[in-house]
Amino acid sequence: MLKYTDEHEWLRLEGDVATVGITDHAAEQLGDLVFVELPKVGATLAKGAAAAVVESVKAASDVYAPVDGEVTEINDAAVSSPESVGTDPQGAGWLYRVRLSDPSQLDGLMDEAAYRAFVG
Amino acid sequence: MTADTASSLLQTPLHALHQEAGARMVPFAGYAMPLQYPLGLLKEHLHTRKAAGLFDVSHMGQIAVRPRSGDLADAARALETVLPIDVVGLKPGRQRYGFLTTQGGGILDDLMIANLGDHYLLVVNAANKAAGLVHLLDAIGTPCSVEPIDRALIALQGPGAEGALARHLPAAAEMRFMDARPIAFADGEGLIVRAGYTGEDGFEIALPAEAALALARALLADPEVKPIGLGARDSLRLEAGLCLHGSDIDLETSPVEAGLSWAIPTVRRRGGDREGGFPGAERILAELADGPARLRVGLRPEGRTPVRAGAPLYPAGDAAEPAGRVTSGGFGPSLDGPIAMGVLPSALAVPGTQVFAEVRGQRLPCAVVPLPFRPAGFKRS
C-alpha cells in the first residue's frame, strides 16, 4: 500500500513497517541534493516532527515524520550518495523504515491519485 | 508563483529567453528572476567553472554620475565624499570595487565604479538601488547629475567567456581584468567590463534591451555557453569569497570588519593626502589603524553537513555563549563540500583556528580558512 502526505512524503506499508521517502515532485522542487541526515535506528518519531533533513546547495529542508513509530532501518546509501535521493526518490533514494505505533494514522493520508491531483 | 505575484514583478529584457529556456523564476528584489534552469544549480555552477555561463543581472542598478562643470575631476572629488576609495586615481577605461558607507561606518551598498572618460558609471545591488540613488542625489546632486540608466546587464563568466564573447564583440579579447570599454549597439550605447561575481575570468556587458536579447541568443547558440541562474550565482560567489550585501556586509558591518580594507588606499587613510572625508570615516580610519574588533572569515566545516547563514559560531564545543555567526553558507560544488563565511572576534579570525557552528542543536567543528576558497581565474595581464 502506497500513501502520500501533503508534506510530499511517500510511505510504502509492508505489515506494520512503512518505508518512507520524499516524492519525485518534492525532489524536483528541491533540486540537486548534497546532504541527507537521517534519524537513528531505534529513534521514536512523532507525527509532524522533523525526522530527517535533505539539503540542496541552497537550502535545508526538514522531512517530517508522517506517522508515529520507531525507526527500524535507515538507508545508508541515501547518506553516502545524497544525489540518489534526488534522482530516484521513490526507489533507491528511500530514507528510513518505521514501525507504526498507530496504523489508523494512515487513514488520513492520500493515495497516488489523490496526491497527483494535490500537486497538480 | 501565482499569476498575481508574477504580474506585480518587474521583468528584465531577457524575460522571454528565461521562459524559453525553462527557467524556474522567483521573485528577487522586485524582479522575476531565474533561480535555475533545467540543467540544475550544481551543473550550472560546474559548467561556469569549466566553460562559460551566461547570467542575466539586469536587475542590478546602473547609475551615471556626470560633473555639472564638465570636468570629470569634480565628479571624482564628489564621489570620494561618499566612497572611501580612490576615485581620483581611477583612469579612463578602468573599473574598481567600492562601497557607499554609512555615517556609522557600515556599508550602505557595495558597487563597481568605472571611469568612462566624461562620466562615471556605478553598478549597484538590485535591492539597494533606490536607497543608493537617494543617497547619491543627497550627497553629490549639486556638483553632479546622478541618473539611473534603464538598460540590460548580462554577465558571461568562466574560462570560455573570452572565446565565446570575442566571436561577437572582438574587443573583448584585448581587455584585461577591470578594463571598461564603451561599445555602440544598434539601439544605443553600451559597455563591456572584464569583471564579474564568480571568481572566474569573464565579462559584464551593459547594453540596450534589444541588443541584450540578440547578444544573449547569439551567445547561447554556442554549446560552450549555458544560461545560469541566481542559485549558482550565489554558490559561485561564495566559493570566490565575495560578499553579498545584506548577508556578509550590511549597514552595521564596516568595510574593515568585512575584510575589504584592500579597497581603501593609503591616500584615503590617516596621513594620506585625501584622508577621510567620507561617511563613517572616524570609525573606519580607527579600525584601519588599530584593527577591527571582529573580522569576516572563511569556514570549512569538517563534516559533510552544510552550515548556513545565521548559525551561531562558538569558540569551543562546550562554550556557553556564541562568539560570532555564519553570514553565508552552503555547499561548494567545485569543492564538493560545505563552505561558509562568518564573522568572528579578531583573536579567533586566524586561519587554522577551530570554531563550532551550531546546526540543529549540534556543535559542528569548522576550520577558519583563508578566502577565497579557490583561486580566482582573472586575466590580470
Side-chain angles (χ1 to χ4, degrees):
Chain A
M1 181 173 60
L2 189 59
K3 290 284 192 182
Y4 291 84
T5 75
D6 56 9
E7 296 284 355
H8 308 286
E9 295 125 1
W10 56 267
L11 300 82
R12 180 172 279 110
L13 194 70
E14 284 154 83
D16 62 349
V17 173
T19 303
V20 178
I22 64 170
T23 66
D24 47 12
H25 173 80
E28 192 195 322
Q29 291 297 312
L30 291 166
D32 304 307
L33 295 179
V34 296
F35 181 78
V36 170
E37 188 172 280
L38 297 177
K40 292 195 163 46
V41 171
T44 302
L45 302 184
K47 181 181 177 179
V53 178
V54 292
E55 302 205 23
S56 67
V57 176
K58 271 203 87 64
S61 305
D62 285 326
V63 183
Y64 301 104
V67 290
D68 295 340
E70 182 189 327
V71 177
T72 60
E73 193 180 346
I74 61 172
N75 184 7
D76 292 322
V79 175
S80 58
S81 305
E83 64 276 13
S84 67
V85 178
T87 52
D88 191 11
Q90 302 198 203
W94 63 277
L95 297 180
Y96 62 88
R97 295 198 165 101
V98 56
R99 187 181 311 281
L100 276 62
S101 49
D102 178 7
S104 76
Q105 287 178 335
L106 294 173
D107 296 345
L109 302 181
M110 290 175 268
D111 63 14
E112 171 96 29
Y115 179 71
R116 294 300 155 200
F118 173 68
V119 297
Chain B
M1 199 189 323
T2 67
D4 284 341
T5 309
S7 64
S8 67
L9 292 171
L10 298 168
Q11 297 180 354
T12 76
L14 300 189
H15 190 79
L17 193 149
H18 301 316
Q19 291 187 312
E20 288 162 28
R24 185 186 301 172
M25 304 299 286
V26 294
F28 184 85
Y31 285 80
M33 296 299 293
L35 176 66
Q36 62 175 50
Y37 297 86
L39 189 60
L41 198 166
L42 211 58
K43 291 196 179 78
E44 289 174 28
H45 177 117
L46 296 172
H47 182 86
T48 305
R49 293 260 184 257
K50 163 170 80 56
L54 180 74
F55 303 74
D56 179 7
V57 287
S58 303
H59 58 316
M60 297 189 76
Q62 302 178 45
I63 301 172
V65 174
R66 295 171 193 277
R68 293 193 196 276
S69 66
D71 181 357
L72 192 68
D74 291 337
R77 281 188 288 272
L79 282 161
E80 287 198 356
T81 68
V82 290
L83 299 165
I85 66 167
D86 180 9
V87 182
V88 169
L90 179 64
K91 293 188 169 61
R94 295 288 290 163
Q95 173 175 270
R96 66 174 44 133
Y97 177 73
F99 23 79
L100 297 167
T101 49
T102 69
Q103 287 298 338
I107 300 174
L108 183 69
D109 198 10
D110 65 337
L111 52 78
M112 287 290 190
I113 176 170
N115 179 337
L116 299 181
D118 62 350
H119 72 284
Y120 291 98
L121 180 73
L122 278 56
V123 177
V124 303
N125 283 300
N128 299 331
K129 60 186 175 186
L133 191 63
V134 168
H135 182 72
L136 288 167
L137 284 167
D138 277 355
I140 63 168
T142 304
C144 302
S145 75
V146 177
E147 289 172 14
I149 306 177
D150 185 19
R151 62 182 173 190
L153 186 65
I154 62 182
L156 188 67
Q157 300 280 297
E162 179 187 290
L165 187 61
R167 275 192 276 283
H168 307 284
L169 302 173
E174 299 157 16
M175 299 171 66
R176 65 192 170 98
F177 183 56
M178 290 292 198
D179 276 351
R181 286 204 186 185
I183 182 164
F185 291 92
D187 51 336
E189 286 299 306
L191 176 75
I192 314 178
V193 296
R194 192 157 196 161
Y197 192 49
T198 59
E200 295 297 326
D201 181 26
F203 301 85
E204 290 183 345
I205 308 111
L207 70 181
E210 279 183 34
L213 199 54
L215 180 60
R217 286 194 199 284
L219 288 168
L220 288 170
D222 183 339
E224 282 281 287
V225 180
K226 303 275 187 215
I228 311 296
L230 290 184
R233 182 168 158 85
D234 191 54
S235 55
L236 287 159
R237 72 91 197 166
L238 179 58
E239 283 185 347
L242 298 170
C243 291
L244 173 64
H245 193 269
S247 296
D248 309 293
I249 51 178
D250 53 34
L251 298 173
E252 277 75 46
T253 308
S254 79
V256 186
E257 292 175 329
L260 302 173
S261 301
W262 57 267
I264 308 174
T266 314
V267 71
R268 304 300 311 275
R269 301 188 186 193
R270 280 184 188 165
D273 284 348
R274 303 197 306 281
E275 171 185 331
F278 52 84
E282 192 178 344
R283 172 183 172 194
I284 292 168
L285 297 184
E287 285 182 358
L288 281 167
D290 308 332
R294 51 182 203 149
L295 262 176
R296 177 171 63 101
V297 296
L299 297 165
R300 281 303 305 260
E302 287 175 18
R304 297 288 297 174
T305 309
V307 170
R308 300 190 186 271
L313 291 170
Y314 291 85
D318 58 358
E321 294 295 328
R325 69 186 168 86
V326 173
T327 54
S328 281
F331 186 84
S334 301
L335 290 117
D336 190 30
I339 53 172
M341 296 197 293
V343 285
L344 283 172
S346 298
L348 294 175
V350 179
T353 304
Q354 189 183 54
V355 295
F356 293 82
E358 190 167 280
V359 178
R360 296 184 288 273
Q362 306 244 342
R363 300 266 177 105
L364 307 177
C366 302
V368 175
V369 297
L371 292 169
F373 293 99
R374 59 192 305 290
F378 304 143
K379 190 183 172 190
R380 292 190 188 272
S381 55

